[in-house]
Amino acid sequence: MTKTYDRAYFDRWYRQQNIQDPRRLERKVALAVATAEYYLERPIRTVLDIGCGEGAWRKPLLKLRPKASYLGFDSSEYAIARHGARRNLHLARFGDFEWLRPCAPVDLLVCSDVIHYLPTRELGRGLPGLAELCGGVAFLEAFAAEDEFEGDTDGFQSRKASWYRRKFQDAGLTPVGSYCWLGPRMAATAAALERG
């Protein structure tokens, strides 16, 4: 059975079970923004959110940086039909980023709580595109086989953290901690002890 990201899914996980505590999300957004700005040495201007769902990152992000440009992509036809026009969300699957280049490289690329659900083939197709679209920092939140987490386990791909590290680094990303990765253009800016 194929997993469907419809209204019932978002109602269950984001409203009834409240796995995305707004305060925790605000802290996560603040971490990603601060990390990107640390390496860019200026406020972020552009954000690309891949696997954005209903665009949950948009509000806390624009609260911190009202002038930032936010662009989101998700495979949920429901989320895009319901929120797309108001929140600048568009329809695309992760694997589409093998060829999809909707914008110039961005200051902050977000892919939060998505990667650990992707089949290996789709992840492999889209990941190089994400690296290419990351002009600053990528926030790639993914849970590994070693992690215990609460929430949706349907379709969870149990892969070791070392597997993810290797895949991300093979795509040209440099780890700097707490789910943050420097894009290929920024790799040389990190000091030796900043790199994970």
Side-chain angles (χ1 to χ4, degrees):
M1 182 174 179
T2 303
K3 191 170 180 177
T4 304
Y5 295 97
D6 56 9
R7 182 177 185 154
Y9 177 88
F10 287 99
D11 282 347
R12 177 180 180 198
W13 292 108
Y14 291 88
R15 287 178 272 286
Q16 295 163 0
Q17 304 223 1
N18 197 23
I19 61 167
Q20 190 69 283
D21 176 348
R23 292 166 301 187
R24 187 172 192 281
L25 177 60
E26 286 176 4
R27 289 190 298 271
K28 196 185 302 188
V29 171
L31 168 73
V33 168
T35 304
E37 291 181 349
Y38 172 78
Y39 286 101
L40 291 167
E41 297 185 347
R42 62 167 172 78
I44 61 166
R45 298 179 192 126
T46 54
V47 179
L48 176 60
D49 189 350
I50 297 173
C52 64
E54 296 178 310
W57 273 64
R58 184 179 180 275
K59 185 177 178 181
L61 178 74
L62 294 179
K63 183 178 176 183
L64 282 176
R65 297 294 176 267
K67 294 181 181 179
S69 170
Y70 174 88
L71 175 62
F73 286 86
D74 199 86
S75 64
S76 168
E77 292 181 10
Y78 155 77
I80 303 311
R82 174 136 187 193
H83 303 290
R86 286 189 328 277
R87 299 179 183 171
N88 200 19
L89 313 180
H90 305 273
L91 191 64
R93 296 179 56 80
F94 186 93
D96 294 341
F97 287 90
E98 177 179 16
W99 53 266
L100 183 61
R101 300 295 181 273
C103 57
V106 295
D107 295 336
L108 175 60
L109 186 140
V110 176
C111 189
S112 180
D113 198 20
V114 172
I115 292 173
H116 49 264
Y117 296 116
L118 295 171
T120 300
R121 188 174 183 167
E122 183 173 5
L123 177 60
R125 283 188 14 241
L127 192 57
L130 270 64
E132 189 177 315
L133 285 163
C134 181
V137 168
F139 182 84
L140 305 178
E141 179 185 35
F143 295 108
E146 299 91 335
D147 297 321
E148 291 183 23
F149 68 96
E150 292 181 21
D152 180 15
T153 57
D154 183 28
F156 176 73
Q157 304 292 308
S158 184
R159 304 174 182 117
K160 292 195 172 287
S162 59
W163 186 91
Y164 282 115
R165 282 189 198 97
R166 187 174 60 253
K167 290 293 181 188
F168 294 169
Q169 289 174 316
D170 287 351
L173 299 166
T174 301
V176 289
S178 296
Y179 298 124
C180 293
W181 299 76
L182 294 177
R185 294 172 187 85
M186 297 292 293
T189 65
L193 287 176
E194 289 178 315
R195 293 184 213 120

